[in-house]
Amino acid sequence: MTPRAIALAPVGTQSDPIVARFLRTDGVYRWVELVVTNLLAEPLVNGFVINARDVNHRREVEEQLRDSESRFRGLVQNMAEGVTVLAADGSVKYSTPSAARMMGFEVGHGDGMIGLDFVVEQDRERVAEVVGRAFAEPGIQGPIALRVHGADGGIRVVEAMGHNRLDDPLVEGVVVTTRDITDTVAAEDSARRSDARLSALVENLSDVVTIVDAAGPLSYSSPAASTPFGSGEGDGGWAQPAARLHPHA
């Protein structure tokens, strides 16, 4: 209730706390909390009673906390890795915006849902084992690579680590940190397929393919070397091809 409304209220009515800065005689402003009580109808008072208390320290702490929360919120909202907190029953208590973006969902989409439901079915048993250890044992479990369903129906590959914070009253869950490695895995698979194709091509060439290192010995010979030279990779004599040249070659 405001001070203006206090004047019209019954005797003894108090206003809501009013916090304002007052200038002290030394020129310093301090935060003070005021409460106004209507005692106009009280003969011994016949006025308003104002109770004041210094709340400067409390106000400074609150402002520092707000600044800290603002910085933390900015950090969480813009971090590349995703952070998800799983409750004791495996449901999602909280996910950072980055975790939602990673899978293409709206922020808060998975809250209350079972975390394993987002994992591709073929990976669930393996992931459930790691999650179970994360809930049962202190410390960090992982990292583990797993596949998850995205909002667009596609599949993303993430690397995840679980940190048991069940005993922390501010968390009371397992903190799962994830990073998207879909592009990295795809690039590695592509490189392996390319190497396999190149290897198959070289292995089946009729011409001999050899690699000679800087010191002179062979470091590789294709299987075709066995036809003209009678030996190939792994043959100690063939490792020094110059030794097999005809004296008058």
Side-chain angles (χ1 to χ4, degrees):
M1 184 176 292
T2 65
R4 186 183 299 275
I6 287 291
L8 303 176
V11 63
T13 302
Q14 290 186 336
S15 71
D16 297 326
I18 305 165
V19 179
R21 284 175 294 179
F22 285 84
L23 183 65
R24 299 194 333 175
T25 56
D26 60 3
V28 176
Y29 279 99
R30 291 190 68 85
W31 288 99
V32 178
E33 183 181 83
L34 307 173
V35 175
V36 180
T37 303
N38 182 349
L39 293 179
L40 286 171
E42 179 61 49
L44 296 179
V45 179
N46 192 29
F48 295 102
V49 175
I50 301 175
N51 293 325
R53 62 172 176 167
D54 190 315
V55 293
N56 199 71
H57 178 68
R58 188 190 75 186
R59 187 75 179 205
E60 289 177 348
V61 171
E62 290 174 348
E63 290 180 352
Q64 290 173 1
L65 181 59
R66 280 194 294 269
D67 290 342
S68 178
E69 289 177 344
S70 179
R71 287 192 298 269
F72 176 74
R73 190 178 300 110
L75 175 64
V76 168
Q77 290 178 344
N78 293 285
M79 66 191 304
E81 295 184 334
V83 176
T84 301
V85 179
L86 298 180
D89 62 356
S91 63
V92 176
K93 291 180 64 175
Y94 169 76
S95 287
T96 60
S98 54
R101 288 195 303 268
M102 191 179 298
M103 298 169 62
F105 291 114
E106 294 291 332
V107 176
H109 168 79
D111 292 356
M113 299 175 63
I114 299 299
L116 281 175
D117 289 346
F118 292 98
V119 179
V120 171
E121 186 175 358
Q122 293 84 343
D123 292 352
R124 285 182 190 172
E125 183 176 353
R126 179 171 56 87
V127 174
E129 181 180 349
V130 176
V131 172
R133 288 201 304 270
F135 275 101
E137 303 173 10
I140 297 175
Q141 299 292 335
I144 178 176
L146 61 135
R147 293 169 294 174
V148 295
H149 295 289
D152 60 0
I155 294 176
R156 309 295 297 177
V157 183
V158 300
E159 183 180 76
M161 298 178 64
H163 189 185
N164 187 328
R165 299 297 298 273
L166 288 167
D167 293 336
D168 186 339
L170 297 178
V171 181
E172 294 183 335
V174 169
V175 180
V176 180
T177 304
T178 55
R179 66 185 184 96
D180 193 329
I181 59 172
T182 304
D183 294 340
T184 300
V185 170
E188 291 174 348
D189 288 344
S190 178
R192 280 193 292 270
R193 288 193 298 269
S194 179
D195 288 346
R197 286 194 296 268
L198 179 60
S199 178
L201 177 63
V202 171
E203 294 290 317
N204 291 282
L205 283 175
S206 57
D207 292 339
V208 177
V209 177
T210 60
I211 299 176
V212 181
D213 63 26
L218 296 180
S219 59
Y220 171 80
S221 291
S222 64
S226 62
T227 300
F229 304 114
S231 57
E233 187 177 16
D235 184 330
W238 175 238
Q240 296 290 343
R244 298 212 177 184
L245 287 173
H246 191 279
H248 303 296

